Amino acid sequence: MTKVTAQLSVSLDGYYAGPRHTGDGHWMESAEAAAFFRVTRWATDAMAWRERQGFAGGTHDTNSEIVAESFAAAGAYVMGRRMADGGEVPWGAEPPFRAPVFVVTHRPRETLVRGGGTSFTYVTDGVASAVAQARAAAGGKNVAVAGGGSLVRQVLAAGLLDELELHIVPVVLGSGLRLLDADLGLGAKEGIELVPTRVVHSPDVTHVRYTVTGRAPLLLDDRGRGGGPTTTVS
């Protein structure tokens, strides 16, 4: 069964990159990039990631196995325009996806076909349409929401995300681009409930996978005053 999944590397305080780069100068020299590369270091050191990019070296360990698992599970991708534009040149003639990619955008563009089975289809009628098209193209495998964080929030807010995996890196950044932010559109007494289904520890990062169960009201719970649900021990 096709699931819509997302994964992102985040700092301990929830940032996936530094403050957004909007000024002059190269993105690689920005604070946004510096923090991004810190929280994704575990992945770029992994042999499976490096092989997929066409690079030599890397470490074969638990982290590498998780990267390989993620690539193997995806039959199609959904991506934001900023990520697609930023990666177009670095990814080269054979991007690492090897599957159809659907880019959420307001600016039309002809489908871009690359080697290795990757194509970029530019979807201008919203995130739900992009996810639906990706489902149809995934061949029974998962639809992976590749990012960035703003797009992951859109998919989560729309109730389209089945599974979220956070790669939590032991660093505090203090500011930057936060994954779970106020634009989720939650009510004052509403939350999005998740169920942890897997936790994998490594020295560099903790991988936590959640099933997303959806929006739910936040109900009064007065167990701290002796009320609420109780458990009887016999």
Side-chain angles (χ1 to χ4, degrees):
M1 178 180 174
T2 296
K3 294 185 292 187
V4 180
T5 69
Q7 58 173 310
L8 218 61
S9 298
V10 295
S11 65
L12 192 61
D13 49 347
Y15 297 102
Y16 62 91
R20 182 179 291 274
H21 177 62
T22 57
D24 297 330
H26 199 285
W27 181 83
M28 291 289 288
E29 303 298 325
S30 70
E32 180 182 345
F36 171 78
F37 287 119
R38 172 62 188 92
V39 298
T40 58
R41 184 189 303 163
W42 70 271
T44 55
D45 283 345
M47 181 179 292
W49 185 90
R50 297 186 67 81
E51 286 179 347
R52 195 77 171 206
Q53 311 298 320
F55 302 150
T59 304
H60 180 69
D61 57 7
T62 298
N63 294 336
S64 183
E65 291 172 0
I66 285 175
V67 171
E69 175 189 70
S70 299
F71 278 127
Y77 293 84
V78 177
M79 182 182 298
R81 182 65 182 261
R82 187 170 185 248
M83 180 176 178
D85 286 352
E88 184 172 335
V89 172
W91 290 329
E94 292 195 19
F97 306 102
R98 302 179 189 174
V101 180
F102 296 86
V103 181
V104 180
T105 181
H106 297 294
R107 292 173 285 137
R109 182 179 179 182
E110 293 295 318
T111 297
L112 181 64
V113 178
R114 292 298 197 216
T118 300
S119 61
F120 296 90
T121 299
Y122 295 82
V123 180
T124 58
D125 55 347
V127 65
S129 175
V131 170
Q133 292 182 55
R135 277 186 179 276
K141 300 176 79 173
N142 289 345
V143 172
V145 182
S150 175
L151 181 65
V152 173
R153 285 198 301 277
Q154 290 179 53
V155 177
L156 180 60
L160 299 172
L161 193 65
D162 299 309
E163 184 177 280
L164 174 65
E165 187 158 17
L166 298 181
H167 309 291
I168 304 169
V169 177
V171 61
V172 175
L173 298 176
S175 66
L177 300 178
R178 190 185 292 276
L179 173 58
L180 301 174
D181 216 334
D183 60 1
L184 284 167
L186 293 170
K189 292 186 177 181
E190 184 182 37
I192 297 174
E193 297 283 351
L194 305 93
V195 177
T197 58
R198 186 177 76 171
V199 179
V200 179
H201 300 283
S202 81
D204 304 315
V205 59
T206 301
H207 311 276
V208 185
R209 178 179 292 173
Y210 300 91
T211 294
V212 181
T213 58
R215 293 176 182 245
L218 303 177
L219 302 176
L220 175 65
D221 184 340
D222 65 348
R223 278 175 282 189
R225 296 188 297 172
T230 60
T231 302
T232 301
V233 179
S234 58

